[in-house]
Amino acid sequence: MHHPANTRRHLHPTHLLLPARASTKTRDRLPAIPQPRTQPTNQPKGNEMTYVSTTPANNGVNTEALIGARGAFAETPVAAQFTFKSTCDWIEGTYNRNSISGYFGLGQEHERKRTFSIESDHPEVFAAADRAPTPTEIVLAALASCLTGGVAAVAQHRGIQLHSVRATVEGDIDVQGILGMDPEIRNGFSAIRVSFEIDADASDEDIRALVAQSQKRSAVFDIVTNPTNVAVTVA
C-alpha cells in the first residue's frame, strides 16, 4: 500500500555507521530541505483526501534564537570561540567523578546554574566495583545525545513534528590493545553503530534527511571521526 509522503511514521529505523574516518564527500552532503508538512482533512469514504498545512511543529527547540546567533557570530567571529571544561577527581580504584560547571564563550567566562556530575568506573569483569559507566560508554552516550539533540533542532527548523526519538549506540573494542598485549590493536573503538527509531509526522525520506543533517553538524560525531590535537600535561 502506498502511503502519502506526509503521513506519520512509527518507530522508523534509520541506521548510521561510523567508520574510523568519515569521508569528506559524505560529511559535506547536504540533504534537501523538505517542504512544509501537510495533513489530510476529514473526507467521506471514497473521496480523495485534500491536504492542508498543519500547525507549526513544537519540539521544544528555539531555532529562531539559533539562527539569530548565526547572524551575530558572522558580524563578530571571535564571540563564537567557546572553551568547555570538565574537572575529574579520583575517588578510589577506577572510580572517579567529573564536575562540569563553567565555560568560556561570547568573550567571557560563564557559570552554570548548577554543577553537573558524571561518574565513571569499570565493570566487575575488570576487577572493578562497577559503580558507574565506563569512560568509553560515556563517549557513546555523548555521541547519541549530540545526534539526538541535532535531530530535534533540525526537525524544528524544517517544521516536522517529532513524537519520539531513540538512538541505540554500540561500540566495538578489543581489550587486548588496552592491556598492551598487541601493539597492532588500537585502544579505542574499531567501529561504532548508531541506530535511530523515530516517530514523526514525516516521510521516510524526510526522517533520513533529519538524521543526515544532524550527523553533518554534530560536534561529537566530528570529534570521534576526525583527529583532534590533545595535550596532556602535569602541573
Side-chain angles (χ1 to χ4, degrees):
M1 177 179 177
H2 174 72
H3 296 276
N6 46 20
T7 54
R8 176 170 171 178
R9 301 299 189 197
H10 296 277
L11 296 180
H12 176 94
T14 301
H15 300 283
L16 174 63
L17 300 179
L18 283 74
R21 294 288 182 270
S23 67
T24 302
K25 182 178 180 181
T26 300
R27 287 167 56 77
D28 290 342
R29 187 179 296 118
L30 178 63
I33 298 178
Q35 297 300 313
R37 306 273 65 73
T38 56
Q39 67 179 6
T41 59
N42 294 327
Q43 294 286 338
K45 291 183 178 180
N47 291 351
E48 293 185 357
M49 292 186 298
T50 302
Y51 289 88
V52 296
S53 296
T54 65
T55 56
N58 181 13
N59 299 316
V61 182
N62 190 342
T63 53
E64 292 184 3
L66 296 177
I67 294 173
R70 290 177 57 178
F73 291 148
E75 295 181 3
T76 313
V78 67
Q81 304 302 313
F82 278 68
T83 300
F84 294 100
K85 310 169 186 177
S86 178
T87 301
C88 183
D89 292 305
W90 172 67
I91 300 175
E92 186 271 333
T94 57
Y95 184 41
N96 57 68
R97 179 179 294 111
N98 288 269
S99 298
I100 301 171
S101 180
Y103 64 93
F104 177 87
L106 304 177
Q108 63 183 24
E109 295 287 343
H110 297 265
E111 287 295 327
R112 309 293 267 276
K113 293 181 178 179
R114 66 185 180 92
T115 298
F116 301 97
S117 295
I118 301 177
E119 297 180 346
S120 177
D121 201 354
H122 286 84
E124 293 180 351
V125 294
F126 293 121
D130 200 14
R131 289 162 287 197
T134 65
T136 49
E137 289 169 318
I138 294 172
V139 170
L140 295 180
L143 175 62
S145 297
C146 193
L147 290 171
T148 301
V151 166
V154 177
Q156 183 69 44
H157 181 63
R158 298 184 179 184
I160 295 175
Q161 182 62 55
L162 299 173
H163 299 286
S164 66
V165 180
R166 169 172 287 184
T168 301
V169 193
E170 297 178 339
D172 300 330
I173 284 184
D174 186 336
V175 298
Q176 293 181 86
I178 301 173
L179 297 175
M181 298 170 59
D182 188 340
E184 299 300 319
I185 297 177
R186 64 179 299 183
N187 298 333
F189 291 117
S190 59
I192 297 175
R193 294 172 298 280
V194 185
S195 178
F196 273 98
E197 292 179 295
I198 299 176
D199 179 8
D201 294 336
S203 67
D204 289 355
E205 181 181 0
D206 288 348
I207 289 174
R208 292 183 183 278
L210 290 180
V211 176
Q213 182 65 7
S214 174
Q215 174 185 339
K216 179 180 175 65
R217 291 302 173 207
S218 168
V220 181
F221 180 89
D222 178 85
I223 290 169
V224 299
T225 59
N226 289 286
T228 300
N229 294 324
V230 179
V232 181
T233 60
V234 178

Coordinates of all heavy atoms in Angstrom, one line a residue, residues 137-219:
E137 N 31.8 4.1 27.4 CA 30.3 4.2 27.4 C 29.8 5.6 27.4 O 28.8 6.0 26.8 CB 29.7 3.4 28.5 CG 29.8 1.8 28.3 CD 29.4 1.1 29.5 OE1 29.8 1.5 30.7 OE2 28.8 0.0 29.4
I138 N 30.5 6.4 28.2 CA 30.2 7.9 28.3 C 30.4 8.5 26.9 O 29.6 9.4 26.5 CB 31.0 8.6 29.4 CG1 30.6 8.0 30.7 CG2 30.8 10.1 29.3 CD1 31.4 8.5 31.9
V139 N 31.4 8.1 26.2 CA 31.7 8.6 24.8 C 30.5 8.3 23.9 O 30.0 9.1 23.2 CB 33.0 8.1 24.3 CG1 33.1 8.4 22.8 CG2 34.2 8.7 25.0
L140 N 30.0 7.0 24.0 CA 28.9 6.6 23.2 C 27.6 7.4 23.6 O 26.9 7.8 22.7 CB 28.6 5.1 23.4 CG 29.7 4.1 22.9 CD1 29.2 2.7 23.2 CD2 30.0 4.3 21.4
A141 N 27.4 7.6 24.9 CA 26.3 8.4 25.3 C 26.4 9.8 24.8 O 25.4 10.4 24.4 CB 26.2 8.4 26.8
A142 N 27.6 10.4 24.8 CA 27.8 11.8 24.3 C 27.4 11.8 22.8 O 26.8 12.8 22.3 CB 29.2 12.2 24.5
L143 N 27.9 10.8 22.0 CA 27.6 10.8 20.6 C 26.1 10.7 20.4 O 25.5 11.5 19.6 CB 28.3 9.6 20.0 CG 28.0 9.4 18.5 CD1 28.4 10.6 17.6 CD2 28.7 8.1 18.0
A144 N 25.4 9.8 21.1 CA 23.9 9.6 20.9 C 23.2 10.9 21.3 O 22.3 11.3 20.6 CB 23.5 8.5 21.8
S145 N 23.6 11.5 22.4 CA 23.0 12.8 22.9 C 23.1 13.9 21.8 O 22.2 14.6 21.6 CB 23.6 13.2 24.2 OG 23.3 12.2 25.2
C146 N 24.3 14.0 21.3 CA 24.6 15.1 20.3 C 23.7 14.9 19.1 O 23.1 15.8 18.6 CB 26.1 15.1 20.0 SG 26.6 16.6 19.1
L147 N 23.7 13.7 18.5 CA 22.9 13.4 17.3 C 21.4 13.5 17.6 O 20.7 14.1 16.7 CB 23.2 12.0 16.8 CG 24.6 11.7 16.3 CD1 24.9 10.2 16.0 CD2 24.8 12.5 14.9
T148 N 21.0 13.1 18.7 CA 19.5 13.2 19.1 C 19.1 14.6 19.2 O 18.0 15.0 18.7 CB 19.2 12.4 20.3 OG1 19.6 11.0 20.1 CG2 17.7 12.4 20.6
G149 N 19.9 15.4 19.9 CA 19.6 16.8 20.0 C 19.6 17.5 18.7 O 18.7 18.4 18.4
G150 N 20.5 17.1 17.8 CA 20.5 17.7 16.5 C 19.3 17.3 15.7 O 18.8 18.1 14.9
V151 N 18.8 16.1 15.8 CA 17.6 15.7 15.1 C 16.4 16.6 15.5 O 15.6 17.1 14.7 CB 17.2 14.2 15.4 CG1 15.8 13.9 15.0 CG2 18.2 13.3 14.7
A152 N 16.3 16.9 16.8 CA 15.2 17.7 17.3 C 15.3 19.1 16.8 O 14.3 19.8 16.4 CB 15.2 17.8 18.9
A153 N 16.6 19.7 16.7 CA 16.8 21.0 16.2 C 16.4 21.1 14.7 O 15.8 22.1 14.3 CB 18.2 21.5 16.5
V154 N 16.9 20.2 14.0 CA 16.7 20.2 12.5 C 15.2 20.0 12.2 O 14.6 20.7 11.3 CB 17.5 19.1 11.8 CG1 17.2 19.0 10.3 CG2 19.0 19.3 12.0
A155 N 14.5 19.1 13.0 CA 13.1 18.9 12.8 C 12.3 20.1 13.1 O 11.4 20.5 12.3 CB 12.6 17.7 13.7
Q156 N 12.7 20.9 14.1 CA 12.0 22.1 14.4 C 12.2 23.1 13.3 O 11.2 23.8 12.9 CB 12.6 22.7 15.7 CG 11.9 24.0 16.2 CD 10.5 23.7 16.7 OE1 10.2 22.8 17.4 NE2 9.6 24.5 16.3
H157 N 13.4 23.2 12.8 CA 13.7 24.2 11.7 C 12.9 23.8 10.4 O 12.5 24.7 9.7 CB 15.2 24.2 11.4 CG 15.6 25.2 10.4 ND1 15.4 26.5 10.5 CD2 16.1 25.0 9.1 CE1 15.8 27.2 9.4 NE2 16.3 26.2 8.6
R158 N 12.7 22.5 10.2 CA 12.0 22.1 9.0 C 10.5 21.9 9.2 O 9.8 21.5 8.2 CB 12.7 20.8 8.5 CG 14.1 21.0 8.1 CD 14.7 19.8 7.5 NE 16.1 20.1 7.1 CZ 16.9 19.2 6.5 NH1 16.5 18.0 6.2 NH2 18.2 19.5 6.2
G159 N 10.0 22.2 10.3 CA 8.6 22.1 10.6 C 8.1 20.7 10.7 O 6.9 20.5 10.4
I160 N 8.9 19.8 11.2 CA 8.5 18.4 11.3 C 8.2 18.1 12.8 O 9.1 18.3 13.7 CB 9.6 17.5 10.8 CG1 9.8 17.6 9.3 CG2 9.3 16.0 11.1 CD1 10.9 16.8 8.7
Q161 N 7.0 17.7 13.1 CA 6.7 17.4 14.5 C 7.2 16.0 14.9 O 6.9 15.0 14.2 CB 5.2 17.4 14.7 CG 4.7 17.1 16.1 CD 5.3 18.2 17.1 OE1 5.1 19.4 16.9 NE2 6.0 17.7 18.1
L162 N 8.0 15.9 15.9 CA 8.5 14.7 16.4 C 7.6 14.1 17.5 O 7.0 14.9 18.3 CB 9.9 14.8 17.0 CG 11.0 15.3 16.1 CD1 12.3 15.6 16.9 CD2 11.3 14.3 15.0
H163 N 7.5 12.8 17.6 CA 6.7 12.2 18.7 C 7.6 11.4 19.6 O 7.4 11.3 20.8 CB 5.6 11.4 18.1 CG 4.6 12.2 17.3 ND1 3.7 13.0 17.9 CD2 4.5 12.3 16.0 CE1 3.0 13.6 16.9 NE2 3.4 13.2 15.7
S164 N 8.6 10.7 19.1 CA 9.6 10.0 19.9 C 10.9 9.8 19.0 O 10.8 9.7 17.8 CB 9.1 8.7 20.4 OG 8.9 7.8 19.3
V165 N 12.0 9.9 19.7 CA 13.3 9.7 19.1 C 14.1 8.8 20.0 O 14.3 9.2 21.2 CB 14.0 11.0 18.8 CG1 15.4 10.7 18.1 CG2 13.2 11.9 17.9
R166 N 14.6 7.7 19.5 CA 15.5 6.8 20.3 C 16.8 6.5 19.5 O 16.6 6.0 18.4 CB 14.8 5.6 20.8 CG 15.8 4.6 21.4 CD 15.1 3.4 22.1 NE 14.4 3.8 23.3 CZ 13.8 3.0 24.2 NH1 13.7 1.7 23.8 NH2 13.3 3.4 25.3
A167 N 17.9 6.7 20.0 CA 19.2 6.3 19.4 C 19.8 5.2 20.2 O 20.0 5.4 21.4 CB 20.1 7.5 19.3
T168 N 20.1 4.1 19.6 CA 20.9 3.0 20.2 C 22.3 3.0 19.6 O 22.4 2.9 18.4 CB 20.2 1.6 19.9 OG1 18.8 1.7 20.5 CG2 20.9 0.5 20.6
V169 N 23.3 3.0 20.5 CA 24.7 3.1 20.1 C 25.4 1.9 20.6 O 25.3 1.5 21.7 CB 25.3 4.4 20.6 CG1 26.6 4.6 19.9 CG2 24.4 5.6 20.4
E170 N 26.2 1.3 19.7 CA 27.1 0.2 20.0 C 28.5 0.5 19.6 O 28.7 1.1 18.5 CB 26.7 -1.1 19.4 CG 25.3 -1.6 19.8 CD 24.9 -2.9 19.1 OE1 25.5 -3.1 18.0 OE2 24.1 -3.6 19.6
G171 N 29.5 0.2 20.4 CA 30.9 0.4 20.0 C 31.7 -0.9 20.3 O 31.6 -1.5 21.3
D172 N 32.6 -1.2 19.3 CA 33.4 -2.5 19.4 C 34.8 -2.1 19.9 O 35.5 -1.3 19.3 CB 33.4 -3.2 18.1 CG 32.1 -3.6 17.6 OD1 31.2 -3.8 18.4 OD2 31.9 -3.6 16.4
I173 N 35.3 -2.8 20.9 CA 36.7 -2.7 21.4 C 37.3 -4.0 21.6 O 36.7 -4.9 22.2 CB 36.7 -1.8 22.7 CG1 36.5 -0.4 22.4 CG2 38.0 -2.0 23.4 CD1 36.6 0.5 23.7
D174 N 38.5 -4.2 21.2 CA 39.3 -5.4 21.5 C 40.2 -5.0 22.7 O 41.2 -4.2 22.5 CB 40.1 -5.8 20.3 CG 40.9 -7.1 20.5 OD1 41.1 -7.5 21.7 OD2 41.2 -7.8 19.5
V175 N 40.0 -5.5 23.9 CA 40.7 -5.0 25.1 C 42.2 -5.5 25.1 O 42.9 -5.1 26.0 CB 40.0 -5.5 26.4 CG1 38.6 -4.8 26.4 CG2 39.9 -7.0 26.5
Q176 N 42.6 -6.3 24.1 CA 44.0 -6.7 24.1 C 44.8 -5.4 23.8 O 46.0 -5.4 24.2 CB 44.2 -7.7 22.9 CG 43.6 -9.0 23.2 CD 43.9 -10.0 22.0 OE1 44.9 -10.7 22.0 NE2 43.0 -10.0 21.1
G177 N 44.3 -4.4 23.1 CA 45.0 -3.2 22.9 C 45.2 -2.4 24.2 O 46.3 -2.0 24.5
I178 N 44.1 -2.3 25.0 CA 44.2 -1.6 26.3 C 45.2 -2.2 27.2 O 45.9 -1.6 28.0 CB 42.8 -1.5 26.9 CG1 41.8 -0.8 26.0 CG2 42.9 -0.8 28.3 CD1 40.4 -0.8 26.5
L179 N 45.2 -3.6 27.2 CA 46.1 -4.3 28.1 C 47.5 -4.5 27.6 O 48.4 -5.1 28.3 CB 45.5 -5.7 28.3 CG 44.1 -5.8 29.0 CD1 43.6 -7.2 29.0 CD2 44.2 -5.2 30.4
G180 N 47.8 -3.9 26.5 CA 49.2 -3.9 26.0 C 49.6 -5.2 25.4 O 50.8 -5.5 25.4
M181 N 48.7 -6.1 25.0 CA 49.0 -7.4 24.6 C 49.4 -7.4 23.1 O 50.2 -8.3 22.7 CB 47.8 -8.3 24.8 CG 47.4 -8.5 26.2 SD 45.8 -9.4 26.4 CE 46.2 -10.9 25.6
D182 N 48.9 -6.5 22.3 CA 49.2 -6.5 20.9 C 49.3 -5.0 20.4 O 48.3 -4.3 20.4 CB 48.1 -7.2 20.1 CG 48.5 -7.4 18.6 OD1 49.3 -6.7 18.1 OD2 47.9 -8.3 18.0
P183 N 50.5 -4.6 20.0 CA 50.6 -3.2 19.6 C 49.9 -2.8 18.3 O 49.7 -1.7 18.0 CB 52.1 -3.0 19.4 CG 52.6 -4.4 19.1 CD 51.7 -5.3 19.9
E184 N 49.4 -3.9 17.6 CA 48.7 -3.6 16.4 C 47.2 -3.4 16.6 O 46.5 -3.0 15.7 CB 48.9 -4.8 15.4 CG 50.3 -5.1 15.0 CD 50.9 -4.0 14.3 OE1 50.2 -3.4 13.4 OE2 52.1 -3.6 14.5
I185 N 46.8 -3.6 17.8 CA 45.3 -3.4 18.1 C 45.2 -2.1 18.8 O 45.9 -1.8 19.8 CB 44.8 -4.5 19.1 CG1 44.9 -5.9 18.4 CG2 43.4 -4.2 19.5 CD1 44.5 -7.1 19.2
R186 N 44.3 -1.2 18.3 CA 44.1 0.1 18.9 C 43.4 0.0 20.2 O 42.7 -0.9 20.5 CB 43.3 1.0 17.9 CG 41.9 0.5 17.6 CD 41.2 1.5 16.7 NE 41.1 2.8 17.2 CZ 40.5 3.8 16.6 NH1 39.9 3.7 15.5 NH2 40.4 5.0 17.2
N187 N 43.6 1.1 21.0 CA 43.0 1.1 22.3 C 41.5 1.4 22.3 O 40.7 1.0 23.1 CB 43.7 2.1 23.2 CG 45.1 1.8 23.5 OD1 45.5 0.6 23.4 ND2 45.9 2.8 23.7
G188 N 41.1 2.2 21.3 CA 39.8 2.7 21.2 C 38.9 1.9 20.4 O 39.2 0.7 20.0
F189 N 37.7 2.4 20.0 CA 36.7 1.7 19.2 C 37.2 1.4 17.8 O 37.8 2.3 17.2 CB 35.4 2.6 19.1 CG 34.6 2.7 20.4 CD1 34.5 4.0 21.0 CD2 34.1 1.6 21.0 CE1 33.7 4.1 22.1 CE2 33.4 1.7 22.2 CZ 33.2 3.0 22.8
S190 N 37.0 0.2 17.4 CA 37.3 -0.1 16.0 C 36.1 0.2 15.1 O 36.2 0.4 13.9 CB 37.6 -1.6 15.9 OG 36.5 -2.4 16.3
A191 N 34.9 0.3 15.7 CA 33.7 0.6 14.9 C 32.6 1.0 15.9 O 32.5 0.6 17.0 CB 33.2 -0.6 14.1
I192 N 31.7 1.9 15.4 CA 30.6 2.4 16.2 C 29.4 2.4 15.3 O 29.4 2.7 14.1 CB 30.8 3.9 16.7 CG1 32.0 3.9 17.7 CG2 29.5 4.4 17.4 CD1 32.3 5.3 18.1
R193 N 28.2 1.9 15.8 CA 27.0 1.8 15.1 C 25.9 2.6 15.9 O 25.7 2.4 17.1 CB 26.6 0.4 14.9 CG 27.5 -0.4 14.1 CD 27.1 -1.9 14.1 NE 27.3 -2.5 15.4 CZ 28.4 -2.9 16.0 NH1 29.6 -2.7 15.3 NH2 28.4 -3.4 17.2
V194 N 25.2 3.5 15.1 CA 24.1 4.2 15.7 C 22.9 3.9 14.9 O 22.8 4.0 13.7 CB 24.4 5.7 15.6 CG1 23.2 6.5 16.4 CG2 25.7 6.1 16.2
S195 N 21.8 3.5 15.6 CA 20.5 3.2 15.0 C 19.4 4.0 15.6 O 19.2 4.0 16.8 CB 20.2 1.7 15.2 OG 19.0 1.3 14.6
F196 N 18.7 4.7 14.8 CA 17.6 5.6 15.2 C 16.3 5.0 15.0 O 16.0 4.3 14.0 CB 17.7 6.9 14.5 CG 18.6 8.0 15.1 CD1 19.8 8.2 14.6 CD2 18.1 8.8 16.2 CE1 20.7 9.1 15.2 CE2 18.9 9.7 16.7 CZ 20.2 9.9 16.3
E197 N 15.4 5.1 16.0 CA 14.0 4.8 15.8 C 13.2 6.1 16.0 O 13.3 6.7 17.1 CB 13.5 3.8 16.8 CG 14.1 2.4 16.6 CD 13.6 1.4 17.6 OE1 14.0 1.6 18.8 OE2 12.9 0.5 17.3
I198 N 12.6 6.6 15.0 CA 12.0 7.9 15.1 C 10.5 7.9 14.7 O 10.1 7.3 13.6 CB 12.7 8.9 14.1 CG1 14.2 9.1 14.5 CG2 12.0 10.3 14.1 CD1 15.0 9.9 13.6
D199 N 9.6 8.4 15.5 CA 8.2 8.5 15.2 C 7.9 10.0 15.0 O 8.1 10.8 15.9 CB 7.4 8.0 16.4 CG 5.9 8.1 16.2 OD1 5.5 8.5 15.1 OD2 5.1 7.9 17.2
A200 N 7.6 10.4 13.7 CA 7.4 11.8 13.4 C 6.4 11.9 12.3 O 6.1 10.9 11.5 CB 8.7 12.4 12.9
D201 N 5.8 13.1 12.1 CA 4.9 13.4 11.0 C 5.7 13.7 9.8 O 5.8 14.9 9.4 CB 4.0 14.5 11.4 CG 3.0 14.2 12.6 OD1 2.8 13.0 12.8 OD2 2.6 15.1 13.3
A202 N 6.3 12.7 9.2 CA 7.2 12.9 8.1 C 7.3 11.6 7.3 O 7.1 10.5 7.8 CB 8.6 13.4 8.6
S203 N 7.8 11.7 6.1 CA 8.1 10.5 5.3 C 9.4 9.9 5.6 O 10.2 10.5 6.4 CB 8.1 11.0 3.8 OG 9.3 11.8 3.6
D204 N 9.6 8.7 5.1 CA 10.9 8.0 5.4 C 12.0 8.9 4.9 O 13.1 9.0 5.6 CB 10.9 6.7 4.6 CG 10.0 5.6 5.2 OD1 9.4 5.9 6.2 OD2 9.8 4.6 4.6
E205 N 11.9 9.5 3.7 CA 13.0 10.3 3.2 C 13.3 11.5 4.1 O 14.4 11.8 4.3 CB 12.6 10.8 1.8 CG 13.6 11.6 1.1 CD 13.2 12.1 -0.3 OE1 12.1 11.8 -0.7 OE2 14.0 12.8 -0.9
D206 N 12.2 12.2 4.5 CA 12.4 13.3 5.4 C 13.1 12.9 6.7 O 13.9 13.7 7.3 CB 11.1 14.0 5.7 CG 10.5 14.7 4.5 OD1 11.3 14.9 3.5 OD2 9.4 15.1 4.6
I207 N 12.7 11.8 7.3 CA 13.3 11.3 8.5 C 14.8 11.0 8.4 O 15.6 11.4 9.2 CB 12.6 10.1 9.1 CG1 11.2 10.5 9.6 CG2 13.4 9.4 10.2 CD1 10.3 9.3 10.0
R208 N 15.1 10.4 7.3 CA 16.6 10.1 7.0 C 17.3 11.4 6.8 O 18.5 11.5 7.2 CB 16.7 9.2 5.8 CG 16.2 7.8 6.0 CD 16.4 6.9 4.8 NE 15.8 5.6 5.1 CZ 16.4 4.6 5.7 NH1 17.6 4.8 6.2 NH2 15.8 3.4 5.9
A209 N 16.7 12.4 6.2 CA 17.3 13.7 6.0 C 17.6 14.4 7.3 O 18.6 15.0 7.5 CB 16.5 14.5 5.1
L210 N 16.7 14.2 8.3 CA 16.9 14.8 9.6 C 18.2 14.2 10.2 O 19.0 15.0 10.7 CB 15.7 14.5 10.5 CG 14.4 15.1 10.3 CD1 13.4 14.7 11.3 CD2 14.5 16.6 10.3
V211 N 18.3 12.9 10.2 CA 19.5 12.3 10.8 C 20.8 12.6 10.0 O 21.8 12.9 10.7 CB 19.3 10.7 10.8 CG1 20.6 10.0 11.3 CG2 18.1 10.4 11.7
A212 N 20.7 12.7 8.7 CA 21.9 13.1 7.9 C 22.3 14.5 8.2 O 23.6 14.7 8.4 CB 21.6 12.9 6.4
Q213 N 21.4 15.4 8.4 CA 21.8 16.8 8.7 C 22.3 16.9 10.1 O 23.3 17.7 10.4 CB 20.6 17.7 8.5 CG 20.9 19.2 8.7 CD 21.9 19.8 7.7 OE1 22.3 19.1 6.8 NE2 22.3 21.0 7.9
S214 N 21.7 16.1 11.1 CA 22.2 16.1 12.4 C 23.7 15.6 12.5 O 24.5 16.2 13.2 CB 21.3 15.3 13.3 OG 21.9 15.2 14.6
Q215 N 23.9 14.5 11.7 CA 25.3 14.0 11.6 C 26.2 15.0 11.1 O 27.4 15.1 11.6 CB 25.3 12.7 10.8 CG 26.6 12.1 10.5 CD 26.6 11.0 9.5 OE1 25.5 10.4 9.4 NE2 27.7 10.7 8.9
K216 N 25.8 15.7 10.1 CA 26.7 16.7 9.4 C 27.1 17.8 10.4 O 28.2 18.3 10.3 CB 25.9 17.3 8.2 CG 26.7 18.4 7.4 CD 25.9 18.9 6.3 CE 26.6 20.1 5.6 NZ 27.8 19.6 4.9
R217 N 26.2 18.2 11.3 CA 26.5 19.3 12.2 C 26.8 18.9 13.6 O 27.0 19.7 14.5 CB 25.3 20.3 12.2 CG 25.1 21.0 10.9 CD 26.3 21.8 10.5 NE 26.2 22.4 9.2 CZ 27.2 22.7 8.5 NH1 28.5 22.4 8.9 NH2 27.0 23.3 7.3
S218 N 27.0 17.6 13.9 CA 27.3 17.1 15.2 C 28.7 17.3 15.6 O 29.6 16.8 15.0 CB 26.9 15.6 15.3 OG 27.4 15.1 16.5
A219 N 28.9 18.0 16.7 CA 30.3 18.2 17.3 C 30.9 16.9 17.7 O 32.1 16.6 17.4 CB 30.3 19.2 18.4

